[in-house]
Amino acid sequence: MIKLFVVLLVIILVVLVLMMIRRRPSPPAQPQRESPREILKRRYAAGEIDEDEYLRRMSGLNQDW
């Protein structure tokens, strides 16, 4: 009778440990990198580059190399 109780206790503990492992939150996702076009748009909107520089660089990105 005591052996049965010990076996059941071990099974319950194993199940509980497995449930806790599966409930662990996944690691945070990597932040997505901005595309070159998005960076240019952000820099233009922030006033870091002027319209001529924006258009020149954007046309360079639009060319098929």
Side-chain angles (χ1 to χ4, degrees):
M1 185 72 174
I2 293 182
K3 289 182 181 182
L4 179 62
F5 178 74
V6 171
V7 169
L8 286 175
L9 186 63
V10 169
I11 290 173
I12 290 171
L13 287 174
V14 168
V15 168
L16 287 174
V17 168
L18 289 174
M19 287 173 60
M20 288 181 359
I21 289 174
R22 289 184 181 168
R23 287 189 181 182
R24 258 196 252 171
S26 60
Q30 296 287 336
Q32 292 185 356
R33 296 176 65 176
E34 289 182 292
S35 72
R37 287 178 179 81
E38 291 170 340
I39 293 170
L40 271 178
K41 288 177 186 177
R42 181 179 44 79
R43 290 185 64 198
Y44 177 62
E48 295 177 18
I49 58 175
D50 62 9
E51 184 179 5
D52 291 333
E53 182 72 9
Y54 172 78
L55 293 173
R56 185 178 65 79
R57 290 182 182 225
M58 191 60 81
S59 68
L61 290 174
N62 289 334
Q63 291 179 355
D64 293 328
W65 295 96

